Amino acid sequence: MEKKLLSSRNLVQIGMFGALAGVLMLVEIPLPFIAPPFYELDFSEVPVLIGTFSMGPVAGVLIELIKILLKLLLKGTSTAYVGDVANFVIGCCFLLPAGIIYKMNRTKKGALIGMAAGTIMMAAVGAVANAYILLPFFSRLYGMPMDKLIAMGTAVNGLITNIPTFVLIAVVPFNLIKGIIVSLITDLVYKRVRKLIH
């Protein structure tokens, strides 16, 4: 299937999935019971994952890239592109394990194992990225002391007292919830749209 990646049909589908993902990325829902309000859930990975399962991991990466570029075109950046690059990298950490495992085992079980692996990978990479790159960068970018960022986490959960607890109690659960929700929606939708795609 990867051999036909650059076929006109696949290029059109990659563009369509990327456009749909870019639009869905603009619709964000906060999870105030899990993380501070600047962490917002979106469903843009659903079309990315469907495209990945349909056309392979390389197509998934291209769809993820189109999604980010379209979001930048429509909304711009508020993070000097760092958040956008991080979103791309963390998104790829979700779709690549899912796509590679599903490519090796094109069954419902393969898809579920792939999405579970992708969810764990996304949570792990998201934790490291937030602890060492994103939170320190946003602190400098917005002139907000790290203590104030941590206090926003403490307001959500009193157990958050420093960066490690912020990441473990807010960031990791947020990404796990996102991965689970996206996986459930993809599982429900993919079977119904698979015949239209192929």
Side-chain angles (χ1 to χ4, degrees):
M1 195 155 298
E2 294 282 5
K3 292 177 183 175
K4 299 178 182 178
L5 180 64
L6 297 180
S7 70
S8 56
R9 178 183 175 87
N10 277 358
L11 289 175
V12 168
Q13 288 187 20
I14 288 168
M16 287 173 54
F17 282 123
L20 179 57
V23 171
L24 285 175
M25 195 175 179
L26 300 176
V27 181
E28 298 176 312
I29 303 165
L31 296 179
F33 55 94
I34 294 289
F38 52 88
Y39 288 95
E40 294 183 308
L41 176 69
D42 68 72
F43 303 105
S44 62
E45 300 303 337
V46 172
V48 176
L49 208 47
I50 291 172
T52 300
F53 284 166
S54 173
M55 294 173 282
V58 175
V61 171
L62 292 174
I63 294 167
E64 187 76 26
L65 180 62
I66 291 169
K67 175 191 90 169
I68 298 296
L69 293 175
L70 185 59
K71 179 264 174 188
L72 288 172
L73 188 66
L74 295 174
K75 196 175 179 181
T77 183
S78 58
T79 62
Y81 301 102
V82 172
D84 306 295
V85 171
N87 192 297
F88 173 76
V89 171
I90 293 170
C92 287
C93 288
F94 181 50
L95 72 90
L96 284 172
I100 290 167
I101 291 170
Y102 182 70
K103 187 178 177 183
M104 293 187 299
N105 183 11
R106 297 184 71 83
T107 63
K108 183 179 178 74
K109 183 178 178 182
L112 292 174
I113 292 171
M115 289 186 290
T119 297
I120 292 166
M121 179 70 80
M122 177 174 66
V125 173
V128 173
N130 273 272
Y132 294 103
I133 301 168
L134 297 176
L135 291 172
F137 175 80
F138 293 142
S139 175
R140 288 193 301 272
L141 179 67
Y142 295 113
M144 183 183 292
M146 194 67 79
D147 288 346
K148 193 167 181 182
L149 278 174
I150 292 167
M152 293 174 77
T154 307
V156 174
N157 187 323
L159 296 175
I160 296 173
T161 57
N162 53 28
I163 290 295
T165 54
F166 189 106
V167 168
L168 288 174
I169 296 172
V171 176
V172 170
F174 176 86
N175 280 323
L176 288 174
I177 288 170
K178 178 178 180 177
I180 290 166
I181 291 173
V182 166
S183 297
L184 288 173
I185 296 171
T186 301
D187 183 51
L188 291 171
V189 172
Y190 181 61
K191 191 163 59 174
R192 289 169 172 77
V193 300
R194 184 172 51 192
K195 292 177 183 176
L196 298 174
I197 298 169
H198 297 296

